[in-house]
Amino acid sequence: MTDSTHDAALRSWVESANDDASDFPIQNLPFGIFRKATGDDDPRVGIAVGDQILDVSACLDADLLEDAAKEACKLASGTSLNALMQSGRGPASSLRHGVSRLLQDGTDEGSKAAKAESHILVPMSDAELLLPARIGDFTDFYASIFHAERVGKMFRPDNPLLPNYKYVPIAYHGRASTIEVSGTDFRRPVGQRRPPNAPPEQAPTFEPSRGLDYEAEFGFFIGTGNQAGEAVPLDRAENYMFGLCLLNDWSARDIQAWEYQPLGPFLSKNFASTISPWIVTLDALEPFRVGAYQRPKGDPEPLPYLHSEANERSGGLDITMEIAILTEKMREQRSEPYVLSRSFFREFYWTIFQMLTHHTSNGCRLVPGDLLGTGTVSSSGSDEMGSILEKTKRGAEPLTLPSGETRSFIDDGDEIILRGYCERDGYRRIGFGECRARVLPARSLS
Ligand code: CA
């Protein structure tokens, strides 16, 4: 259900938030953790608005919030969002409503807050954005059937989609320890690789990956957790979620191809994952809820625990994913990042609610601050691909950039930039900001 916070006519006294191009208008208000670039303040909870960050604790100090929003503010006074996440959707929702009123132009609350501007706003350009939560566990799904089919064809030409795919939201357990916030560079991984057509007696080599790839995904944070043994029913799944971010699940395809059977990816995916700093709440995404992806005729219905009318009606999210590259040469030439592709989350085979319900269906406990990835966002269009593996057909058809450079996979010095946004007639466009990271050369093996 949409409410007054989604009204497209709302304007903020923070002028930059009224810019049509801003990802963070007053209708969005995503949560994050920041630190002022100068001084030695602890990390604090912030809310993005235009090119500014609203310092949530400073609003409490200035006594600008009341009632439920004020109570929620107290949960948001730590150095991570975990306490707010743990308390469920209610407090974050109250805080978002209170902050919406505070940032509105032309209201009494707004005028009072505007007078305190220098105490409660920090320009994003003067802040360091940090990981929004202490992430306990990371699980990554594989829920785009278009990605699964294209990749499956490369690895198993005769058997691209395994028989479980249309019944099970497939995932692997990743590691949270190497998840970094946008802007954190990382080294190309080193690992075992063996060319796919090598004779069976040939030993693998141990060297820097030659098949580094991005996977453009959305991540969603667990709010309230469930108890061990408690399965979350599909129609209650959204009560256990805090919000979404962008996620790049960096992958080394050559290491993956050699190691992935029989237990799935291991070192090919846990050397680095990058997330965007701002968490867009499910509340902010409410106008962009759509029906779940319509399965083609002949596909099986989900099993009963993964099926509900509400999920069919509004379990999908209409979010566009955009992937851009900035190479070393482009940086030298001062070129803008080049958009490699756009793809559409509304075409996901499984909804995020089905993913969460499936994850808990055996009694597995999810904890506040856990991060679940959706899997690579690829969609039906022939160019709507969330990985370079798909775009270059595993390197067989290199792509040419406007700089004249070609790429089969990702080179050292390349920076990949993910963006996500939602648009719908009658509503203000909202966005996720950026998720970017640059690849540094592998460590020396000598
Ligand atoms: Ca992935």
Side-chain angles (χ1 to χ4, degrees):
M1 294 282 279
T2 56
D3 58 38
S4 58
T5 65
H6 304 108
D7 183 349
L10 290 186
R11 290 180 68 80
S12 176
W13 53 263
V14 180
E15 211 31 67
S16 59
N18 303 321
D19 182 341
D20 285 340
S22 175
D23 278 350
F24 307 124
I26 191 170
Q27 291 83 355
N28 190 350
L29 306 177
F31 290 85
I33 296 289
F34 74 101
R35 183 160 52 196
K36 287 180 199 166
T38 53
D40 52 3
D41 286 352
D42 281 340
R44 317 156 73 88
V45 174
I47 292 177
V49 57
D51 60 9
Q52 305 288 313
I53 302 170
L54 182 77
D55 182 336
V56 171
S57 297
C59 294
L60 193 62
D61 295 342
D63 203 20
L64 291 170
L65 291 162
E66 292 177 345
D67 306 327
K70 187 172 181 173
E71 289 308 307
C73 214
K74 294 174 187 165
L75 293 167
S77 59
T79 57
S80 77
L81 286 167
N82 292 66
L84 189 63
M85 290 171 162
Q86 181 158 17
S87 59
R89 277 184 73 182
S93 188
S94 300
L95 185 52
R96 185 172 164 278
H97 272 87
V99 166
S100 170
R101 289 191 297 274
L102 204 70
L103 291 171
Q104 274 173 45
D105 196 21
T107 62
D108 289 349
E109 277 168 293
S111 312
K112 194 177 162 199
K115 285 197 189 95
E117 178 178 350
S118 61
H119 300 288
I120 59 174
L121 289 187
V122 177
M124 267 187 215
S125 55
D126 293 348
E128 182 190 359
L129 296 169
L130 306 171
L131 277 182
R134 290 187 313 277
I135 304 168
D137 271 312
F138 171 48
T139 301
D140 199 25
F141 283 87
Y142 188 58
S144 158
I145 197 168
F146 301 104
H147 176 69
E149 277 176 340
R150 289 185 193 123
V151 173
K153 255 180 218 152
M154 292 176 221
F155 285 84
R156 297 173 302 274
D158 306 328
N159 194 16
L161 208 59
L162 296 172
N164 56 7
Y165 192 85
K166 293 177 179 177
Y167 290 96
V168 180
I170 300 290
Y172 69 95
H173 278 132
R175 280 187 66 81
S177 54
T178 6
I179 299 175
E180 301 280 5
V181 76
S182 177
T184 311
D185 301 337
F186 67 94
R187 286 200 179 279
R188 172 179 300 273
V190 169
Q192 284 196 26
R193 58 189 302 278
R194 204 184 74 154
N197 301 322
E201 65 277 11
Q202 186 178 316
T205 54
F206 182 74
E207 59 177 310
S209 168
R210 296 188 213 172
L212 186 63
D213 197 357
Y214 51 85
E215 288 195 336
E217 309 189 12
F218 293 100
F220 53 101
F221 278 93
I222 300 303
T224 305
N226 60 316
Q227 298 301 315
E230 175 197 359
V232 175
L234 184 55
D235 283 347
R236 292 185 52 218
E238 64 183 275
N239 299 335
Y240 292 77
M241 281 180 201
F242 186 80
L244 280 74
C245 64
L246 301 163
L247 163 69
N248 189 340
D249 179 34
W250 294 96
S251 301
R253 299 304 182 187
D254 44 356
I255 300 173
Q256 182 181 357
W258 171 238
E259 75 171 6
Y260 91 106
Q261 296 194 79
L263 286 184
F266 178 36
L267 300 180
S268 54
K269 283 174 177 280
N270 64 7
F271 55 91
S273 309
T274 312
I275 62 170
S276 56
W278 297 110
I279 306 179
V280 177
T281 60
L282 279 183
D283 283 0
L285 290 166
E286 198 63 35
F288 310 101
R289 295 280 289 265
V290 291
Y293 173 70
Q294 287 292 311
R295 294 180 168 212
K297 274 209 168 60
D299 278 16
E301 288 292 315
L303 294 183
Y305 78 101
L306 291 174
H307 180 271
S308 81
E309 277 183 24
N311 184 67
E312 289 296 303
R313 195 173 56 243
S314 61
L317 284 165
D318 191 7
I319 317 175
T320 302
M321 173 70 83
E322 189 177 285
I323 304 153
I325 187 169
L326 186 65
T327 68
E328 201 74 67
K329 184 175 175 186
M330 291 165 71
R331 213 173 288 118
E332 280 163 17
Q333 294 174 340
R334 301 190 177 281
S335 309
E336 288 296 306
Y338 172 68
V339 174
L340 291 166
S341 58
R342 291 185 185 86
S343 50
F344 304 99
F345 191 49
R346 62 171 180 265
E347 292 187 352
F348 254 50
Y349 202 75
W350 299 102
T351 67
I352 54 174
F353 310 108
Q354 287 170 317
M355 294 180 215
L356 186 144
T357 288
H358 181 66
H359 204 316
T360 63
S361 62
N362 66 341
C364 175
R365 182 172 177 230
L366 297 176
V367 174
D370 282 359
L371 181 66
L372 277 57
T374 59
T376 306
V377 181
S378 297
S379 44
S380 57
S382 59
D383 204 33
E384 296 164 8
M385 300 169 172
S387 66
I388 205 168
L389 176 77
E390 292 165 77
K391 282 192 83 70
T392 65
K393 300 202 165 56
R394 208 177 181 178
E397 297 174 14
L399 56 88
T400 303
L401 302 173
S403 58
E405 300 168 279
T406 59
R407 286 291 181 274
S408 299
F409 289 99
I410 299 304
D411 278 13
D412 291 347
D414 289 355
E415 187 172 28
I416 294 293
I417 301 142
L418 309 184
R419 297 192 184 95
Y421 53 88
C422 304
E423 292 171 324
R424 182 181 158 195
D425 281 350
Y427 290 90
R428 180 67 162 81
R429 173 195 180 280
I430 65 170
F432 284 72
E434 285 185 343
C435 174
R436 61 199 297 158
R438 191 173 49 152
V439 183
L440 305 175
R443 69 184 159 87
S444 162
L445 285 176
S446 55

